[in-house]
Amino acid sequence: MSTFSHISVLQKTATITLSKPVQITLYMLLSSLVIWTVLFSTYPAAHNTAHSARHHTLGVACH
């Protein structure tokens, strides 16, 4: 009986986790986090790569 309920819980969790609204929300949050991290990073490799886009697109002064 506990095996049946365990499988049922896993199926419900998979259904909730894999639903389209949850996928879209997670994708948007992850994308926003990556963009924010690259554009506002002080890590030299990321900062130098995104330097011109950071100044021209956002008007952000970094030094």
Side-chain angles (χ1 to χ4, degrees):
M1 185 172 216
S2 66
T3 305
F4 178 72
S5 65
H6 180 67
I7 292 172
S8 178
V9 170
L10 289 177
Q11 288 173 343
K12 288 179 183 179
T13 304
T15 303
I16 293 170
T17 303
L18 300 176
S19 68
K20 288 295 180 187
V22 172
Q23 287 180 14
I24 292 168
T25 303
L26 290 173
Y27 178 76
M28 295 298 291
L29 287 172
L30 182 61
S31 299
S32 299
L33 179 65
V34 169
I35 291 169
W36 180 268
T37 301
V38 169
L39 289 178
F40 295 103
S41 176
T42 57
Y43 179 64
H47 177 83
N48 293 338
T49 302
H51 190 82
S52 62
R54 181 178 176 171
H55 287 292
H56 296 299
T57 306
L58 301 173
V60 176
C62 62
H63 18 114

